[in-house]
């Protein structure tokens, strides 16, 4: 049986770490395939990470886009937003894939990225992948 993503979103938006952590298995495994060094194990890391998020972004807000349930697997689109304590805006979007067992989230695979708004996103992305700027090589 899967965990209700609506329950997770409500706990996140209430900044209620205890209610949030009650949804995660103690041996929860988090993967971020585009950032393999961000992999971690354990709900204690979930608590530490989200404590920092809520402290650093006091008005942190999560919104769900589409959600697809397939047995114990839930695919969901997220938008995270708020204002950092230094006054800079924060926005990230992406997809999370959660696996649940016994009413607890046991794994999460996250594809979350900061939203780029400087107008250089594709130029920077192509240059990062190819080593060449599409502007200079056009």
């Amino acid at each position: 049986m899967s965990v209700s993503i609506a329950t997770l979103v409500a706990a996140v938006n209430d900044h209620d770490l205890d209610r949030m952590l009650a949804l995660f298995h103690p041996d929860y495994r988090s993967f971020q395939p585009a950032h393999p060094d961000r992999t971690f194990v354990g709900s204690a890391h979930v608590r530490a990470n989200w404590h920092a998020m809520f402290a650093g972004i006091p008005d942190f807000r999560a919104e769900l886009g589409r959600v697809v349930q397939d047995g114990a697997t839930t695919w969901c689109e997220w938008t995270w937003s708020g204002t950092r304590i230094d006054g800079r805006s924060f926005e990230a979007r992406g997809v999370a894939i959660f696996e649940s067992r016994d009413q607890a989230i046991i794994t999460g695979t996250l594809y979350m990225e900061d939203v780029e708004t400087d107008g250089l996103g594709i130029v920077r992305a192509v240059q990062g992948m190819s080593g060449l700027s599409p502007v200079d090589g056009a």
Side-chain angles (χ1 to χ4, degrees), residues 13 19-20 28 37 47-48 58 60 62 74-75 95 104 110 118:
N13 284 335
R19 194 167 43 146
M20 236 181 107
Y28 168 80
D37 287 345
R47 178 181 291 281
F60 182 95
T74 306
W75 297 65
V95 173
L110 283 73
D118 63 6

Side-chain angles (χ1 to χ4, degrees), residues 116-129:
E116 297 173 346
T117 58
D118 63 6
L120 298 174
I122 192 63
V123 171
R124 187 177 25 250
V126 170
Q127 189 166 7
M129 288 186 283

Side-chain angles (χ1 to χ4, degrees), residues 11-93:
V12 168
N13 284 335
D14 289 344
H15 297 200
D16 188 333
L17 282 171
D18 291 331
R19 194 167 43 146
M20 236 181 107
L21 268 287
L23 301 172
F24 288 84
H25 190 278
D27 296 325
Y28 168 80
R29 297 183 58 83
S30 179
F31 303 99
Q32 295 188 36
H35 306 282
D37 287 345
R38 297 180 187 178
T39 296
F40 68 88
V41 176
S43 61
H45 283 281
V46 175
R47 178 181 291 281
N49 295 345
W50 282 97
H51 175 77
M53 291 293 286
F54 295 149
I57 309 167
D59 61 346
F60 182 95
R61 183 99 183 123
E63 294 179 32
L64 275 181
R66 291 178 288 180
V67 177
V68 175
Q69 189 73 44
D70 180 19
T73 304
T74 306
W75 297 65
C76 41
E77 294 177 319
W78 292 85
T79 298
W80 296 343
S81 61
T83 305
R84 294 176 178 101
I85 56 175
D86 66 5
R88 293 181 301 132
S89 66
F90 165 78
E91 187 172 7
R93 293 184 189 154

Side-chain angles (χ1 to χ4, degrees), residues 87-106:
R88 293 181 301 132
S89 66
F90 165 78
E91 187 172 7
R93 293 184 189 154
V95 173
I97 306 164
F98 295 114
E99 297 283 337
S100 300
R101 183 178 65 229
D102 300 327
Q103 292 297 308
I105 300 171
I106 58 172

